[in-house]
Coordinates of all heavy atoms in Angstrom, one line a residue:
M1 N 0.8 -1.2 0.0 CA 0.0 0.0 0.0 C 0.9 1.3 0.0 O 0.6 2.2 -0.7 CB -0.9 0.0 1.2 CG -1.9 1.1 1.3 SD -3.0 1.0 -0.1 CE -4.2 2.2 0.3
H2 N 2.0 1.2 0.8 CA 2.8 2.4 0.8 C 3.5 2.6 -0.5 O 3.7 3.8 -0.9 CB 3.9 2.2 1.9 CG 3.4 2.3 3.3 ND1 2.7 3.3 3.8 CD2 3.4 1.3 4.3 CE1 2.3 3.1 5.0 NE2 2.8 1.9 5.4
L3 N 3.8 1.5 -1.2 CA 4.5 1.6 -2.5 C 3.5 2.3 -3.5 O 3.9 3.1 -4.3 CB 4.9 0.3 -3.0 CG 5.7 0.2 -4.3 CD1 6.9 1.1 -4.2 CD2 6.0 -1.2 -4.7
L4 N 2.2 1.9 -3.4 CA 1.2 2.5 -4.3 C 1.0 4.0 -4.1 O 1.0 4.8 -5.0 CB -0.1 1.7 -4.1 CG -1.3 2.1 -5.1 CD1 -0.9 1.9 -6.5 CD2 -2.5 1.4 -4.7
T5 N 1.0 4.4 -2.8 CA 0.9 5.8 -2.4 C 2.1 6.6 -2.9 O 1.9 7.7 -3.5 CB 0.7 5.9 -0.9 OG1 -0.4 5.1 -0.5 CG2 0.5 7.4 -0.5
A6 N 3.3 6.0 -2.8 CA 4.5 6.7 -3.2 C 4.5 6.8 -4.8 O 4.9 7.8 -5.3 CB 5.7 5.9 -2.8
G7 N 3.9 5.8 -5.4 CA 3.9 5.9 -6.9 C 2.9 7.0 -7.4 O 3.3 7.8 -8.3
F8 N 1.8 7.2 -6.7 CA 0.9 8.3 -7.0 C 1.5 9.6 -6.7 O 1.3 10.6 -7.5 CB -0.5 8.1 -6.3 CG -1.4 7.1 -6.9 CD1 -1.9 6.1 -6.1 CD2 -1.7 7.1 -8.2 CE1 -2.7 5.1 -6.6 CE2 -2.5 6.1 -8.8 CZ -3.0 5.1 -8.0
A9 N 2.2 9.7 -5.6 CA 2.9 11.0 -5.3 C 3.9 11.4 -6.4 O 4.0 12.5 -6.8 CB 3.5 10.9 -3.9
F10 N 4.7 10.4 -6.8 CA 5.7 10.6 -7.9 C 5.0 11.1 -9.2 O 5.5 12.0 -9.8 CB 6.5 9.3 -8.1 CG 7.5 9.5 -9.2 CD1 8.6 10.2 -9.0 CD2 7.3 8.9 -10.5 CE1 9.6 10.4 -10.1 CE2 8.2 9.1 -11.5 CZ 9.3 9.8 -11.3
L11 N 3.9 10.4 -9.6 CA 3.2 10.8 -10.8 C 2.7 12.2 -10.7 O 2.7 13.0 -11.6 CB 2.1 9.8 -11.1 CG 2.5 8.5 -11.6 CD1 1.2 7.6 -11.7 CD2 3.1 8.6 -12.9
A12 N 2.2 12.6 -9.5 CA 1.6 14.0 -9.3 C 2.7 15.0 -9.5 O 2.6 16.0 -10.1 CB 1.0 14.1 -8.0
L13 N 3.9 14.7 -9.0 CA 5.0 15.6 -9.1 C 5.5 15.8 -10.5 O 5.8 16.8 -11.0 CB 6.2 15.2 -8.2 CG 6.0 15.4 -6.7 CD1 7.1 14.8 -5.9 CD2 5.8 16.9 -6.3
T14 N 5.6 14.7 -11.2 CA 6.1 14.7 -12.6 C 5.1 15.4 -13.5 O 5.5 16.0 -14.5 CB 6.5 13.3 -13.1 OG1 5.3 12.5 -13.0 CG2 7.6 12.7 -12.4
A15 N 3.8 15.4 -13.2 CA 2.8 16.0 -14.0 C 2.9 17.5 -14.0 O 2.4 18.2 -14.9 CB 1.4 15.5 -13.6
C16 N 3.5 18.1 -12.9 CA 3.6 19.5 -12.7 C 4.9 20.1 -13.3 O 5.1 21.3 -13.1 CB 3.5 19.8 -11.3 SG 1.9 19.4 -10.5
T17 N 5.7 19.4 -13.9 CA 7.0 20.0 -14.4 C 6.7 20.6 -15.8 O 5.8 20.3 -16.5 CB 8.1 18.9 -14.6 OG1 7.6 17.9 -15.5 CG2 8.4 18.2 -13.3
I18 N 7.6 21.6 -16.1 CA 7.5 22.4 -17.3 C 8.6 21.8 -18.2 O 9.8 21.6 -17.8 CB 7.8 23.9 -17.1 CG1 6.6 24.5 -16.3 CG2 8.0 24.6 -18.5 CD1 6.8 25.9 -16.0
A19 N 8.3 21.5 -19.4 CA 9.3 20.9 -20.3 C 10.3 22.0 -20.8 O 10.0 23.0 -21.2 CB 8.6 20.3 -21.6
E20 N 11.6 21.7 -20.6 CA 12.7 22.5 -21.0 C 13.6 21.6 -21.8 O 13.9 20.5 -21.4 CB 13.4 23.2 -19.9 CG 12.5 24.2 -19.2 CD 13.3 25.1 -18.2 OE1 14.5 25.0 -18.1 OE2 12.6 25.8 -17.4
S21 N 14.2 22.1 -22.8 CA 15.2 21.4 -23.6 C 16.5 21.2 -22.7 O 16.8 22.1 -22.0 CB 15.5 22.0 -24.9 OG 14.3 22.2 -25.6
D22 N 17.2 20.1 -23.0 CA 18.5 20.0 -22.4 C 19.4 21.0 -23.0 O 19.3 21.3 -24.2 CB 19.0 18.6 -22.6 CG 18.2 17.6 -21.8 OD1 17.7 17.9 -20.7 OD2 18.2 16.4 -22.2
P23 N 20.4 21.4 -22.3 CA 21.4 22.4 -22.9 C 22.1 21.7 -24.0 O 22.4 20.5 -24.0 CB 22.4 22.6 -21.7 CG 21.7 22.2 -20.5 CD 20.7 21.2 -20.9
V24 N 22.4 22.5 -25.0 CA 23.1 22.0 -26.2 C 24.6 22.1 -25.9 O 25.1 23.2 -25.5 CB 22.8 22.8 -27.5 CG1 23.6 22.4 -28.6 CG2 21.3 22.7 -27.8
P25 N 25.4 21.0 -26.0 CA 26.8 21.0 -25.6 C 27.6 21.9 -26.3 O 28.6 22.5 -25.8 CB 27.2 19.5 -25.8 CG 26.0 18.7 -26.0 CD 24.9 19.7 -26.4
S26 N 27.4 22.2 -27.6 CA 28.2 23.1 -28.4 C 28.0 24.6 -28.2 O 28.7 25.4 -28.7 CB 28.1 22.7 -29.9 OG 26.7 23.0 -30.3
V27 N 26.9 24.9 -27.4 CA 26.6 26.3 -27.2 C 27.5 26.9 -26.1 O 27.8 26.3 -25.1 CB 25.1 26.5 -26.7 CG1 24.8 27.9 -26.3 CG2 24.2 26.0 -27.8
P28 N 28.1 28.1 -26.4 CA 29.0 28.7 -25.4 C 28.2 28.9 -24.0 O 27.1 29.2 -24.0 CB 29.4 30.0 -26.0 CG 28.7 30.1 -27.3 CD 27.9 28.9 -27.5
Q29 N 29.0 28.7 -22.9 CA 28.4 28.9 -21.6 C 28.5 30.4 -21.2 O 29.6 30.9 -21.0 CB 29.1 28.1 -20.6 CG 29.1 26.6 -21.0 CD 27.8 26.0 -21.0 OE1 27.0 26.2 -20.1 NE2 27.5 25.2 -22.0
G30 N 27.4 31.1 -21.1 CA 27.4 32.5 -20.8 C 26.0 33.0 -20.5 O 25.1 32.3 -20.6
N31 N 25.9 34.3 -20.2 CA 24.6 34.9 -20.0 C 24.0 35.1 -21.4 O 24.6 35.4 -22.4 CB 24.7 36.2 -19.3 CG 25.0 36.0 -17.8 OD1 24.8 34.9 -17.3 ND2 25.5 37.0 -17.2
C32 N 22.7 34.9 -21.4 CA 21.9 35.0 -22.6 C 21.9 36.5 -23.0 O 21.8 37.4 -22.2 CB 20.4 34.6 -22.3 SG 19.3 34.6 -23.6
R33 N 21.9 36.7 -24.4 CA 21.8 38.0 -25.0 C 20.5 38.1 -25.9 O 20.4 37.2 -26.8 CB 23.0 38.3 -25.8 CG 24.3 38.3 -25.0 CD 25.5 38.5 -25.9 NE 25.6 37.4 -26.9 CZ 25.7 37.7 -28.2 NH1 25.8 38.9 -28.7 NH2 25.7 36.7 -29.1
S34 N 19.6 39.0 -25.6 CA 18.4 39.1 -26.4 C 18.5 39.8 -27.8 O 17.7 39.6 -28.7 CB 17.3 39.8 -25.6 OG 17.0 39.1 -24.5
E35 N 19.5 40.6 -27.9 CA 19.7 41.4 -29.1 C 19.6 40.7 -30.4 O 18.9 41.1 -31.4 CB 21.0 42.3 -29.1 CG 21.1 43.2 -27.9 CD 21.6 42.6 -26.6 OE1 22.3 41.6 -26.7 OE2 21.1 43.0 -25.6
P36 N 20.3 39.5 -30.6 CA 20.3 38.8 -31.9 C 19.0 38.0 -32.2 O 18.9 37.3 -33.2 CB 21.5 38.0 -31.8 CG 21.8 37.8 -30.4 CD 21.2 38.9 -29.7
L37 N 18.0 38.0 -31.3 CA 16.9 37.1 -31.4 C 15.8 37.6 -32.3 O 14.9 36.8 -32.8 CB 16.3 36.8 -30.0 CG 17.3 36.1 -29.1 CD1 16.7 36.0 -27.7 CD2 17.7 34.7 -29.7
A38 N 15.7 38.9 -32.7 CA 14.7 39.4 -33.5 C 14.6 38.7 -34.9 O 13.5 38.6 -35.5 CB 14.8 40.9 -33.7
Q39 N 15.7 38.3 -35.4 CA 15.8 37.6 -36.7 C 15.0 36.3 -36.7 O 14.7 35.8 -37.8 CB 17.3 37.3 -37.1 CG 17.9 36.4 -36.1 CD 19.4 36.1 -36.4 OE1 19.8 36.0 -37.6 NE2 20.2 36.1 -35.4
F40 N 14.6 35.7 -35.6 CA 13.9 34.5 -35.6 C 12.4 34.6 -35.5 O 11.7 33.6 -35.6 CB 14.5 33.6 -34.4 CG 15.9 33.3 -34.5 CD1 16.8 34.0 -33.6 CD2 16.4 32.5 -35.4 CE1 18.2 33.7 -33.7 CE2 17.8 32.2 -35.5 CZ 18.7 32.8 -34.7
I41 N 11.9 35.8 -35.3 CA 10.5 36.0 -35.2 C 9.8 35.6 -36.5 O 10.2 35.9 -37.6 CB 10.2 37.5 -34.9 CG1 10.9 38.0 -33.7 CG2 8.6 37.8 -34.8 CD1 10.5 37.3 -32.4
G42 N 8.7 34.8 -36.3 CA 7.9 34.3 -37.4 C 8.4 33.0 -38.0 O 7.7 32.4 -38.8
Q43 N 9.5 32.5 -37.6 CA 10.0 31.2 -38.1 C 9.3 30.0 -37.3 O 9.0 30.1 -36.1 CB 11.5 31.1 -37.9 CG 12.2 32.1 -38.8 CD 13.7 31.9 -38.8 OE1 14.2 30.8 -38.6 NE2 14.5 33.0 -39.0
P44 N 9.1 28.9 -38.0 CA 8.4 27.8 -37.4 C 9.4 27.1 -36.4 O 10.6 27.0 -36.6 CB 8.1 26.8 -38.5 CG 8.9 27.3 -39.7 CD 9.3 28.7 -39.4
A45 N 8.8 26.7 -35.2 CA 9.6 26.1 -34.2 C 10.1 24.7 -34.6 O 9.4 24.0 -35.2 CB 8.8 25.9 -32.9
S46 N 11.4 24.5 -34.3 CA 12.0 23.2 -34.6 C 13.2 23.0 -33.8 O 13.7 24.0 -33.2 CB 12.4 23.1 -36.1 OG 13.4 23.9 -36.4
Q47 N 13.7 21.8 -33.7 CA 14.9 21.5 -32.9 C 16.1 22.3 -33.5 O 16.9 22.9 -32.8 CB 15.2 20.0 -32.9 CG 16.3 19.7 -32.0 CD 16.5 18.2 -31.9 OE1 15.8 17.4 -32.5 NE2 17.4 17.8 -31.0
E48 N 16.1 22.3 -34.8 CA 17.2 23.0 -35.5 C 17.2 24.5 -35.3 O 18.2 25.2 -35.0 CB 17.1 22.7 -37.1 CG 18.3 23.3 -37.9 CD 18.0 24.7 -38.4 OE1 16.8 25.0 -38.7 OE2 19.0 25.4 -38.6
L49 N 16.0 25.1 -35.3 CA 15.8 26.5 -35.0 C 16.2 26.8 -33.5 O 16.9 27.8 -33.3 CB 14.4 27.0 -35.2 CG 14.1 28.5 -34.9 CD1 14.9 29.4 -35.8 CD2 12.6 28.8 -34.9
G50 N 15.8 25.9 -32.6 CA 16.2 26.1 -31.2 C 17.7 26.1 -31.0 O 18.2 26.9 -30.3
A51 N 18.4 25.2 -31.7 CA 19.9 25.2 -31.7 C 20.5 26.5 -32.2 O 21.4 27.0 -31.6 CB 20.4 24.0 -32.4
R52 N 19.9 27.0 -33.3 CA 20.4 28.3 -33.8 C 20.1 29.5 -32.9 O 21.0 30.3 -32.7 CB 19.8 28.6 -35.2 CG 20.3 27.6 -36.3 CD 19.8 27.9 -37.7 NE 19.1 29.2 -37.9 CZ 17.9 29.3 -38.5 NH1 17.3 28.2 -38.9 NH2 17.4 30.5 -38.7
M53 N 19.0 29.4 -32.2 CA 18.6 30.5 -31.3 C 19.5 30.4 -30.0 O 20.0 31.5 -29.5 CB 17.2 30.4 -30.9 CG 16.2 30.7 -32.0 SD 14.5 30.6 -31.6 CE 14.2 32.1 -30.8
L54 N 19.8 29.2 -29.6 CA 20.7 29.1 -28.4 C 22.1 29.6 -28.8 O 22.7 30.3 -28.0 CB 20.8 27.6 -28.0 CG 19.6 27.1 -27.2 CD1 19.7 25.6 -27.0 CD2 19.5 27.8 -25.8
S55 N 22.6 29.3 -30.0 CA 23.9 29.7 -30.4 C 24.0 31.2 -30.5 O 24.9 31.9 -30.0 CB 24.2 29.1 -31.7 OG 25.5 29.5 -32.1
A56 N 22.9 31.8 -31.1 CA 22.9 33.3 -31.3 C 22.8 34.1 -30.0 O 23.4 35.1 -29.9 CB 21.8 33.7 -32.2
S57 N 22.1 33.5 -29.0 CA 21.9 34.2 -27.8 C 22.9 33.9 -26.7 O 22.9 34.5 -25.7 CB 20.5 33.9 -27.3 OG 20.4 32.5 -26.9
S58 N 23.7 32.8 -26.9 CA 24.6 32.3 -25.9 C 23.9 31.7 -24.6 O 24.5 31.6 -23.6 CB 25.6 33.4 -25.4 OG 26.4 33.8 -26.5
A59 N 22.6 31.4 -24.8 CA 21.9 30.8 -23.7 C 22.3 29.3 -23.6 O 22.8 28.7 -24.5 CB 20.4 30.9 -23.9
R60 N 22.1 28.7 -22.4 CA 22.3 27.3 -22.2 C 21.1 26.5 -22.3 O 21.1 25.3 -22.7 CB 22.9 27.1 -20.8 CG 24.4 27.2 -20.7 CD 25.0 26.7 -19.4 NE 24.1 26.9 -18.2 CZ 23.6 25.9 -17.5 NH1 23.8 24.7 -17.8 NH2 22.9 26.1 -16.4
I61 N 19.9 27.1 -22.0 CA 18.7 26.4 -21.9 C 17.6 27.1 -22.7 O 17.6 28.3 -22.7 CB 18.2 26.2 -20.4 CG1 19.2 25.5 -19.6 CG2 16.8 25.5 -20.3 CD1 19.0 25.6 -18.1
I62 N 16.8 26.4 -23.4 CA 15.7 27.0 -24.1 C 14.4 26.5 -23.5 O 14.2 25.3 -23.2 CB 15.8 26.7 -25.6 CG1 14.7 27.6 -26.4 CG2 15.6 25.2 -26.0 CD1 15.0 27.6 -27.9
R63 N 13.4 27.4 -23.4 CA 12.1 27.1 -22.9 C 11.1 27.5 -23.9 O 10.9 28.7 -24.2 CB 11.9 27.8 -21.6 CG 10.5 27.6 -21.0 CD 10.3 28.1 -19.6 NE 10.6 29.6 -19.5 CZ 10.4 30.3 -18.3 NH1 10.0 29.7 -17.2 NH2 10.7 31.5 -18.3
W64 N 10.4 26.5 -24.6 CA 9.4 26.8 -25.6 C 8.1 26.9 -24.8 O 7.7 26.1 -24.0 CB 9.3 25.6 -26.5 CG 10.5 25.3 -27.3 CD1 11.4 24.3 -27.1 CD2 10.9 26.0 -28.5 NE1 12.4 24.4 -28.0 CE2 12.1 25.4 -28.9 CE3 10.4 27.0 -29.3 CZ2 12.8 25.8 -30.1 CZ3 11.1 27.4 -30.4 CH2 12.3 26.8 -30.8
V65 N 7.3 28.0 -25.1 CA 6.0 28.3 -24.5 C 5.0 28.3 -25.6 O 4.9 29.3 -26.4 CB 6.1 29.6 -23.7 CG1 4.8 29.8 -23.0 CG2 7.2 29.6 -22.7
P66 N 4.1 27.3 -25.6 CA 3.0 27.4 -26.6 C 2.0 28.5 -26.4 O 1.9 29.0 -25.2 CB 2.4 26.0 -26.5 CG 2.7 25.5 -25.1 CD 4.0 26.2 -24.7
K67 N 1.2 28.8 -27.4 CA 0.2 29.9 -27.2 C -0.7 29.5 -26.0 O -1.2 28.4 -25.9 CB -0.6 29.9 -28.5 CG -1.7 31.0 -28.5 CD -1.1 32.3 -28.8 CE -2.2 33.3 -29.0 NZ -1.7 34.7 -29.1
G68 N -0.8 30.5 -25.1 CA -1.6 30.3 -23.9 C -0.9 29.5 -22.8 O -1.5 29.3 -21.7
G69 N 0.3 29.1 -23.0 CA 1.1 28.4 -22.0 C 1.5 29.3 -20.8 O 1.6 30.5 -21.0
M70 N 1.6 28.7 -19.7 CA 2.0 29.4 -18.5 C 3.4 29.0 -18.1 O 3.8 27.8 -18.3 CB 1.0 29.1 -17.3 CG -0.4 29.5 -17.7 SD -1.5 29.1 -16.4 CE -1.3 30.5 -15.4
V71 N 4.2 30.0 -17.6 CA 5.5 29.7 -17.1 C 5.8 30.3 -15.8 O 5.0 31.2 -15.3 CB 6.6 30.3 -18.1 CG1 6.5 29.5 -19.4 CG2 6.4 31.8 -18.3
T72 N 6.8 29.9 -15.1 CA 7.2 30.5 -13.8 C 7.8 31.8 -14.1 O 8.3 32.1 -15.2 CB 8.2 29.6 -13.1 OG1 9.3 29.4 -13.9 CG2 7.6 28.2 -12.8
M73 N 7.8 32.7 -13.1 CA 8.3 34.0 -13.2 C 9.8 34.2 -12.8 O 10.3 35.3 -12.7 CB 7.4 35.0 -12.5 CG 6.0 35.1 -13.1 SD 6.0 35.7 -14.8 CE 6.6 37.3 -14.6
D74 N 10.4 33.1 -12.4 CA 11.8 33.1 -11.9 C 12.7 33.5 -13.1 O 12.4 33.2 -14.2 CB 12.2 31.8 -11.3 CG 12.2 30.7 -12.3 OD1 11.2 30.6 -13.1 OD2 13.2 29.9 -12.3
F75 N 13.7 34.3 -12.8 CA 14.7 34.7 -13.8 C 15.9 33.9 -13.8 O 16.5 33.6 -12.8 CB 15.1 36.2 -13.6 CG 16.0 36.7 -14.6 CD1 15.6 37.2 -15.8 CD2 17.4 36.7 -14.4 CE1 16.4 37.6 -16.8 CE2 18.3 37.2 -15.3 CZ 17.8 37.6 -16.5
S76 N 16.3 33.4 -15.0 CA 17.5 32.6 -15.2 C 18.3 33.3 -16.3 O 17.9 33.4 -17.4 CB 17.2 31.2 -15.5 OG 18.4 30.5 -15.8
P77 N 19.5 33.8 -16.0 CA 20.3 34.6 -17.0 C 20.8 33.7 -18.1 O 21.2 34.2 -19.1 CB 21.5 35.2 -16.2 CG 21.6 34.3 -15.0 CD 20.2 33.8 -14.7
N78 N 20.7 32.4 -17.9 CA 21.2 31.4 -19.0 C 20.1 30.8 -19.8 O 20.3 29.8 -20.5 CB 22.1 30.3 -18.3 CG 23.4 30.9 -17.7 OD1 24.0 31.8 -18.4 ND2 23.7 30.5 -16.6
R79 N 18.9 31.3 -19.6 CA 17.7 30.6 -20.2 C 17.1 31.5 -21.3 O 17.0 32.7 -21.1 CB 16.7 30.3 -19.2 CG 15.4 29.6 -19.8 CD 14.4 29.2 -18.7 NE 14.0 30.3 -18.0 CZ 13.6 30.3 -16.7 NH1 13.6 29.1 -16.1 NH2 13.1 31.3 -16.1
L80 N 16.7 30.9 -22.4 CA 16.0 31.6 -23.5 C 14.6 31.1 -23.4 O 14.3 29.9 -23.5 CB 16.7 31.3 -24.8 CG 16.0 31.7 -26.1 CD1 15.8 33.2 -26.1 CD2 16.7 31.2 -27.3
T81 N 13.6 32.1 -23.4 CA 12.2 31.7 -23.4 C 11.6 32.2 -24.7 O 11.7 33.3 -25.1 CB 11.5 32.4 -22.2 OG1 12.0 32.0 -21.0 CG2 10.0 32.1 -22.3
V82 N 11.1 31.2 -25.4 CA 10.5 31.5 -26.8 C 9.0 31.3 -26.7 O 8.5 30.2 -26.5 CB 11.1 30.5 -27.8 CG1 10.6 30.8 -29.2 CG2 12.6 30.6 -27.8
Q83 N 8.3 32.3 -26.9 CA 6.8 32.3 -27.0 C 6.4 32.0 -28.4 O 6.9 32.6 -29.4 CB 6.2 33.7 -26.6 CG 6.6 34.1 -25.2 CD 5.7 33.5 -24.2 OE1 4.6 33.0 -24.5 NE2 6.1 33.6 -22.9
L84 N 5.5 31.0 -28.6 CA 5.0 30.6 -29.9 C 3.6 31.0 -30.1 O 2.8 31.2 -29.1 CB 5.0 29.0 -30.0 CG 6.4 28.4 -29.7 CD1 6.3 26.9 -29.7 CD2 7.4 28.9 -30.8
D85 N 3.2 31.3 -31.3 CA 1.9 31.7 -31.7 C 1.0 30.4 -31.9 O 1.5 29.3 -31.8 CB 1.8 32.6 -32.9 CG 2.3 32.0 -34.2 OD1 2.4 30.8 -34.3 OD2 2.5 32.8 -35.1
G86 N -0.2 30.6 -32.3 CA -1.1 29.4 -32.6 C -0.7 28.5 -33.7 O -1.1 27.4 -33.8
S87 N 0.2 29.0 -34.6 CA 0.7 28.2 -35.7 C 2.1 27.6 -35.4 O 2.8 27.1 -36.3 CB 0.8 29.1 -37.0 OG -0.4 29.6 -37.3
N88 N 2.5 27.7 -34.1 CA 3.8 27.1 -33.7 C 4.9 27.9 -34.3 O 6.0 27.3 -34.6 CB 3.8 25.6 -34.0 CG 4.6 24.9 -32.9 OD1 4.6 25.3 -31.7 ND2 5.3 23.8 -33.3
R89 N 4.8 29.2 -34.5 CA 5.9 30.0 -35.0 C 6.3 30.9 -33.9 O 5.6 31.3 -32.9 CB 5.4 30.8 -36.2 CG 5.1 30.0 -37.4 CD 4.7 30.9 -38.6 NE 4.6 30.1 -39.8 CZ 5.5 29.8 -40.6 NH1 6.7 30.3 -40.4 NH2 5.3 29.1 -41.7
V90 N 7.6 31.4 -33.9 CA 8.1 32.2 -32.9 C 7.4 33.6 -32.9 O 7.4 34.3 -33.9 CB 9.7 32.4 -33.1 CG1 10.2 33.4 -32.1 CG2 10.4 31.1 -33.0
E91 N 6.8 33.9 -31.8 CA 6.1 35.2 -31.6 C 7.1 36.2 -30.9 O 7.1 37.3 -31.2 CB 4.9 34.9 -30.8 CG 4.0 36.1 -30.7 CD 2.6 35.7 -30.1 OE1 2.6 35.7 -28.8 OE2 1.7 35.5 -30.8
S92 N 7.8 35.7 -29.9 CA 8.8 36.5 -29.2 C 9.9 35.6 -28.6 O 9.6 34.4 -28.4 CB 8.2 37.4 -28.2 OG 7.7 36.6 -27.1
A93 N 11.0 36.2 -28.4 CA 12.1 35.4 -27.7 C 12.9 36.4 -26.8 O 13.3 37.4 -27.2 CB 13.0 34.8 -28.8
N94 N 13.0 36.0 -25.6 CA 13.7 36.8 -24.6 C 14.5 36.0 -23.6 O 14.2 34.8 -23.4 CB 12.6 37.6 -23.7 CG 11.8 38.6 -24.6 OD1 12.4 39.5 -25.1 ND2 10.6 38.3 -24.7
C95 N 15.5 36.6 -23.1 CA 16.3 35.9 -22.0 C 15.6 35.9 -20.7 O 14.8 36.8 -20.4 CB 17.6 36.6 -21.9 SG 18.6 36.5 -23.4
G96 N 15.8 34.9 -19.9 CA 15.2 34.9 -18.6 C 14.5 33.6 -18.4 O 14.1 33.1 -17.6

């Protein structure tokens, strides 16, 4: 019975996580820079696009946010947050 209860607790915790991509090993380790990200607005989201955005911004982690998605408000200087529109295209991209 305790094992079953522990299993349900684990499932509840994993259901509340936000998906973030693993850091790309070839991306330089540094603080994210937002300036070069405007060039990606309107492009369709893909793994390849994410790698290019990470490289351009020097971020370590990318967080894709679908239309209407909710995110935490904590700031991470090494994270790139990409807001997507209803067509899964980049609507905005900012560090943090």
